Amino acid sequence: MNWKEQRQNAYPNIILSDCLVDEIQVDDDIILRFLEHGFVIRDNGDSRYYRTRSAQIIVKECDIDNISIQLIYKKGVSRKEIHIVKDIDLPIFLNNILTKRWSYEIVEEYYSALGGMFIGRIIEAKKSMWCYLRMQFRNIVYLWDEVDYEAPYN
């Protein structure tokens, strides 16, 4: 797909908070697609943020073998509830997103010189759980066509 707009390493002018990931593709790079509602952008020097329409990001030069995914969920009832932390393999995570068994919404993002961490929510039927996705990468390329200036992001 050809996109009209492109930026690289644009955080904090582009943020992924509250973005629902519709598709994930893994080859040499990782591609996350946001089909209905894109990411949140501060465009043209404006101090306000707006949501793009459909968009995608490409995580470049990612160490695919060093991706860490952890699910955090509660188990038990009432006062005996405990938090479970479970490591999950990338193929299982990808399959559950692609088959629509899970929805993945990015809630927060953190970056370092070596990569980043995306904290999100996995929604599965009537339950949800936290998901920590850690990756080592060099660059993120943000791609989109249109910004919805009629819908400021608060």
Side-chain angles (χ1 to χ4, degrees):
M1 179 175 224
N2 294 326
W3 298 92
K4 292 179 188 174
E5 303 290 336
Q6 174 178 322
R7 291 205 189 130
Q8 184 170 306
N9 300 331
Y11 178 85
N13 291 320
I14 296 177
I15 56 177
L16 302 176
S17 294
D18 300 327
C19 292
L20 188 63
V21 177
D22 294 297
E23 295 177 0
I24 301 175
Q25 177 183 335
V26 176
D27 290 317
D28 292 334
D29 299 321
I30 296 178
I31 299 171
L32 284 80
R33 291 189 181 93
F34 312 95
L35 301 178
E36 188 174 335
H37 302 287
F39 39 72
V40 178
I41 185 169
R42 183 170 52 200
D43 199 24
N44 298 326
D46 192 340
S47 63
R48 293 179 294 177
Y49 283 90
Y50 302 90
R51 188 167 298 277
T52 67
R53 294 195 170 89
S54 62
Q56 77 177 26
I57 64 168
I58 302 173
V59 180
K60 297 279 200 176
E61 299 176 61
C62 182
D63 183 357
I64 302 218
D65 294 328
N66 201 19
I67 292 175
S68 170
I69 304 170
Q70 291 181 318
L71 301 179
I72 296 101
Y73 57 94
K74 294 179 184 178
K75 190 169 185 168
V77 290
S78 191
R79 296 179 189 199
K80 302 218 182 220
E81 249 179 23
I82 59 171
H83 286 87
I84 306 292
V85 178
K86 179 180 178 182
D87 291 322
I88 185 167
D89 293 329
L90 180 62
I92 293 169
F93 178 80
L94 292 174
N95 185 58
N96 285 332
I97 300 296
L98 292 174
T99 61
K100 308 288 187 208
R101 179 176 174 210
W102 289 352
S103 294
Y104 178 58
E105 178 185 9
I106 299 171
V107 176
E108 298 178 52
E109 60 196 294
Y110 299 94
Y111 298 99
S112 72
L114 298 175
M117 178 171 69
F118 303 99
I119 299 173
R121 300 285 289 172
I122 297 285
I123 297 107
E124 177 185 24
K126 295 181 180 181
K127 64 181 181 178
S128 69
M129 59 193 114
W130 287 103
C131 177
Y132 288 37
L133 176 60
R134 293 178 193 91
M135 296 186 276
Q136 293 181 349
F137 57 86
R138 294 249 188 242
N139 298 296
I140 294 182
V141 177
Y142 300 86
L143 303 154
W144 72 97
D145 285 330
E146 297 177 18
V147 175
D148 186 0
Y149 291 108
E150 299 297 317
Y153 180 79
N154 297 331

